[in-house]
Short mmCIF file of all heavy atoms in Angstrom, two decimals:
data_model
loop_
_atom_site.label_atom_id
_atom_site.label_comp_id
_atom_site.label_asym_id
_atom_site.label_seq_id
_atom_site.Cartn_x
_atom_site.Cartn_y
_atom_site.Cartn_z
N MET A 21 90.33 111.46 130.41
CA MET A 21 89.62 111.27 131.67
C MET A 21 88.34 112.13 131.66
O MET A 21 88.42 113.34 131.50
CB MET A 21 90.49 111.77 132.80
CG MET A 21 90.72 110.83 133.94
SD MET A 21 89.67 109.43 134.12
CE MET A 21 90.74 108.12 133.69
N ASP A 22 87.24 111.48 131.78
CA ASP A 22 85.98 112.23 131.78
C ASP A 22 85.71 112.73 133.19
O ASP A 22 85.24 111.97 134.05
CB ASP A 22 84.85 111.33 131.29
CG ASP A 22 83.59 112.12 131.07
OD1 ASP A 22 83.49 113.26 131.54
OD2 ASP A 22 82.68 111.58 130.40
N LEU A 23 86.00 114.03 133.40
CA LEU A 23 85.87 114.58 134.76
C LEU A 23 84.43 114.58 135.23
O LEU A 23 84.15 114.41 136.41
CB LEU A 23 86.41 116.00 134.80
CG LEU A 23 87.93 116.11 134.81
CD1 LEU A 23 88.36 117.56 134.85
CD2 LEU A 23 88.50 115.37 136.00
N ALA A 24 83.50 114.74 134.28
CA ALA A 24 82.09 114.81 134.69
C ALA A 24 81.69 113.53 135.40
O ALA A 24 81.05 113.57 136.46
CB ALA A 24 81.20 115.04 133.47
N THR A 25 82.09 112.38 134.83
CA THR A 25 81.76 111.11 135.48
C THR A 25 82.41 111.01 136.86
O THR A 25 81.76 110.69 137.86
CB THR A 25 82.24 109.93 134.63
OG1 THR A 25 81.90 110.16 133.28
CG2 THR A 25 81.64 108.65 135.11
N LEU A 26 83.72 111.30 136.89
CA LEU A 26 84.46 111.14 138.14
C LEU A 26 83.88 112.02 139.25
O LEU A 26 83.55 111.56 140.35
CB LEU A 26 85.93 111.52 137.93
CG LEU A 26 86.82 110.44 137.32
CD1 LEU A 26 88.20 110.99 137.10
CD2 LEU A 26 86.85 109.23 138.22
N ILE A 27 83.77 113.32 138.93
CA ILE A 27 83.30 114.25 139.97
C ILE A 27 81.85 113.92 140.34
O ILE A 27 81.49 113.90 141.52
CB ILE A 27 83.39 115.71 139.47
CG1 ILE A 27 84.86 116.07 139.23
CG2 ILE A 27 82.76 116.64 140.47
CD1 ILE A 27 85.04 117.47 138.73
N GLY A 28 81.05 113.59 139.32
CA GLY A 28 79.64 113.29 139.59
C GLY A 28 79.49 112.12 140.55
O GLY A 28 78.83 112.22 141.59
N LEU A 29 80.10 110.99 140.19
CA LEU A 29 79.97 109.81 141.03
C LEU A 29 80.59 110.03 142.41
O LEU A 29 80.01 109.68 143.43
CB LEU A 29 80.62 108.61 140.35
CG LEU A 29 79.94 108.09 139.09
CD1 LEU A 29 80.68 106.88 138.55
CD2 LEU A 29 78.51 107.73 139.37
N GLY A 30 81.78 110.62 142.42
CA GLY A 30 82.48 110.83 143.69
C GLY A 30 81.71 111.75 144.62
O GLY A 30 81.51 111.47 145.80
N ALA A 31 81.28 112.90 144.05
CA ALA A 31 80.58 113.86 144.90
C ALA A 31 79.24 113.32 145.38
O ALA A 31 78.82 113.61 146.51
CB ALA A 31 80.38 115.17 144.13
N ALA A 32 78.56 112.55 144.54
CA ALA A 32 77.28 111.98 144.96
C ALA A 32 77.46 111.14 146.22
O ALA A 32 76.74 111.26 147.20
CB ALA A 32 76.66 111.15 143.84
N LEU A 33 78.48 110.26 146.17
CA LEU A 33 78.75 109.41 147.32
C LEU A 33 79.15 110.26 148.52
O LEU A 33 78.67 110.10 149.64
CB LEU A 33 79.85 108.40 147.00
CG LEU A 33 80.16 107.44 148.13
CD1 LEU A 33 79.00 106.50 148.33
CD2 LEU A 33 81.42 106.64 147.84
N PHE A 87 81.95 99.91 131.88
CA PHE A 87 81.98 100.99 132.86
C PHE A 87 83.17 101.90 132.59
O PHE A 87 83.10 103.11 132.77
CB PHE A 87 82.05 100.40 134.27
CG PHE A 87 82.14 101.44 135.34
CD1 PHE A 87 81.03 102.19 135.69
CD2 PHE A 87 83.32 101.70 136.00
CE1 PHE A 87 81.09 103.16 136.66
CE2 PHE A 87 83.41 102.67 136.96
CZ PHE A 87 82.29 103.41 137.31
N THR A 90 82.82 105.03 130.47
CA THR A 90 82.27 106.29 130.98
C THR A 90 83.38 107.18 131.51
O THR A 90 83.22 108.38 131.61
CB THR A 90 81.26 106.04 132.11
OG1 THR A 90 81.94 105.40 133.17
CG2 THR A 90 80.13 105.19 131.64
N LEU A 91 84.52 106.54 131.88
CA LEU A 91 85.60 107.33 132.45
C LEU A 91 86.43 107.96 131.34
O LEU A 91 87.08 108.99 131.53
CB LEU A 91 86.50 106.45 133.32
CG LEU A 91 85.79 105.82 134.51
CD1 LEU A 91 86.69 104.86 135.24
CD2 LEU A 91 85.33 106.92 135.47
N LYS A 92 86.42 107.30 130.15
CA LYS A 92 87.21 107.81 129.04
C LYS A 92 86.46 108.95 128.39
O LYS A 92 85.28 108.84 128.12
CB LYS A 92 87.40 106.69 128.00
CG LYS A 92 88.80 106.57 127.52
CD LYS A 92 88.99 105.45 126.52
CE LYS A 92 87.80 105.10 125.71
NZ LYS A 92 88.22 104.38 124.48
N TRP A 222 73.01 105.42 141.92
CA TRP A 222 74.32 106.03 142.00
C TRP A 222 75.19 105.58 140.83
O TRP A 222 75.97 106.36 140.27
CB TRP A 222 74.98 105.65 143.33
CG TRP A 222 76.36 106.15 143.49
CD1 TRP A 222 76.83 107.41 143.25
CD2 TRP A 222 77.49 105.42 143.94
NE1 TRP A 222 78.17 107.50 143.53
CE2 TRP A 222 78.60 106.30 143.96
CE3 TRP A 222 77.66 104.10 144.35
CZ2 TRP A 222 79.87 105.90 144.37
CZ3 TRP A 222 78.93 103.71 144.75
CH2 TRP A 222 80.02 104.60 144.75
N LYS A 230 75.06 107.97 130.44
CA LYS A 230 76.29 108.51 129.83
C LYS A 230 76.64 107.73 128.59
O LYS A 230 77.01 108.30 127.56
CB LYS A 230 77.43 108.42 130.85
CG LYS A 230 78.77 108.74 130.21
CD LYS A 230 79.63 109.64 131.03
CE LYS A 230 79.30 111.07 130.70
NZ LYS A 230 80.06 112.04 131.49
#
Side-chain angles (χ1 to χ4, degrees):
Chain A
M21 233 344 109
D22 189 345
L23 283 180
T25 315
L26 278 177
I27 295 180
L29 292 182
L33 183 68
F87 178 74
T90 62
L91 298 174
K92 226 179 28 160
W222 177 47
K230 170 136 273 178

